[in-house]
Amino acid sequence: NLPVEDGGVISYSYLGDNDCLYRHISDDATSQIRVLSLAGGESSNEYIDHLNSVSIPKIKDPFLFNIMSTYTRVNKERNLVVEVPLFMNHINIYGIRGNSFAKSIRIGKKVESVKKLFNEGATGMQLVFYDARAYDDFFGVVYKDKYDLKALPVIYFFDWDGYPLCSVKMDRNINFFDIDFVHEKLLVFDSTTESLFACDFRLPNN
């Protein structure tokens, strides 16, 4: 059982054995609290503490709390976590269980922030990242420039040190993707039309 009473668990990542990383809403409903639960008890680090310190003012409209929503993916073997905000154009990678690595990646020219989006209200809550997938040696994200109305999604791939590997520009709108490593195919899905597409795909140097 997770020791959370108020707010409830909003995300959960199993790390193997008796370890997990989960998030819950703070008692005053202004922030998301990450908790690294290990077999020997709870643990944290400087980067987790920093992310936990991000907050919004108390509000009557609970919808705006979603500004801080992220996709959370983990690499258990490398002890790394990648968090991809839905509405902001940066990616956070940080280490756990003794791994002190931390890095942020920005895509695009403009810098987004929780404060900026909060001040814009619901109009500022336009999706930037649509999906995130983690693999043994790299991870990928579906990104769309919300400032360019004609922009189509791009899938960006990074290694676990945060270095870019390649990008794949889409010729249509998509929401999700995955990789068929056996047949070396990139699979993309458009939930609006419920269409699945496949194309040849192989990462550079693979």
Side-chain angles (χ1 to χ4, degrees):
N1 294 331
L2 300 178
V4 178
E5 296 180 359
D6 297 325
V9 173
I10 55 177
S11 76
Y12 174 92
S13 300
Y14 177 64
L15 303 175
D17 298 326
N18 293 316
D19 300 349
C20 70
L21 174 69
Y22 67 92
R23 283 184 295 166
H24 67 89
I25 300 173
S26 62
D27 293 342
D28 60 359
T30 62
S31 61
Q32 296 185 7
I33 306 300
R34 295 153 184 82
V35 179
L36 182 59
S37 179
L38 306 178
E42 294 184 358
S43 178
S44 187
N45 58 39
E46 180 181 358
Y47 205 78
I48 289 177
D49 291 341
H50 172 71
L51 291 176
N52 287 346
S53 70
V54 177
S55 64
I56 60 173
K58 291 185 178 181
I59 51 176
K60 294 182 179 179
D61 183 1
F63 179 74
L64 291 179
F65 188 83
N66 293 317
I67 287 172
M68 295 183 287
S69 297
T70 69
Y71 301 106
T72 301
R73 305 290 183 258
V74 299
N75 187 314
K76 295 183 287 187
E77 286 69 30
R78 297 174 186 265
N79 289 319
L80 286 171
V81 178
V82 58
E83 286 196 26
V84 184
L86 275 66
F87 303 103
M88 292 176 281
N89 62 339
H90 64 268
I91 300 167
N92 295 316
I93 312 170
Y94 58 91
I96 54 175
R97 297 190 294 195
N99 187 338
S100 61
F101 181 83
K103 188 173 187 177
S104 292
I105 305 166
R106 177 171 56 87
I107 299 177
K109 297 179 180 180
K110 297 186 178 183
V111 179
E112 301 283 6
S113 68
V114 169
K115 181 179 180 180
K116 176 179 178 294
L117 291 184
F118 181 83
N119 290 335
E120 291 176 355
T123 58
M125 293 182 63
Q126 301 177 50
L127 280 175
V128 174
F129 289 106
Y130 288 76
D131 194 15
R133 302 280 173 173
Y135 306 97
D136 291 345
D137 299 318
F138 61 94
F139 65 90
V141 297
V142 177
Y143 168 83
K144 187 175 180 180
D145 185 353
K146 69 179 183 179
Y147 296 104
D148 183 353
L149 298 180
K150 297 181 179 180
L152 290 170
V154 180
I155 304 177
Y156 289 97
F157 293 96
F158 301 88
D159 67 19
W160 282 101
D161 290 321
Y163 292 106
L165 297 174
C166 71
S167 61
V168 181
K169 295 182 179 180
M170 296 289 102
D171 60 359
R172 67 198 73 202
N173 282 309
I174 67 162
N175 306 91
F176 310 104
F177 79 99
D178 209 343
I179 299 173
D180 179 348
F181 290 97
V182 175
H183 300 98
E184 295 187 335
K185 298 289 185 181
L186 176 65
L187 309 174
V188 297
F189 183 74
D190 178 5
S191 62
T192 303
T193 61
E194 296 187 347
S195 301
L196 179 68
F197 305 92
C199 62
D200 294 335
F201 177 76
R202 190 175 186 183
L203 280 174
N205 301 322
N206 277 17

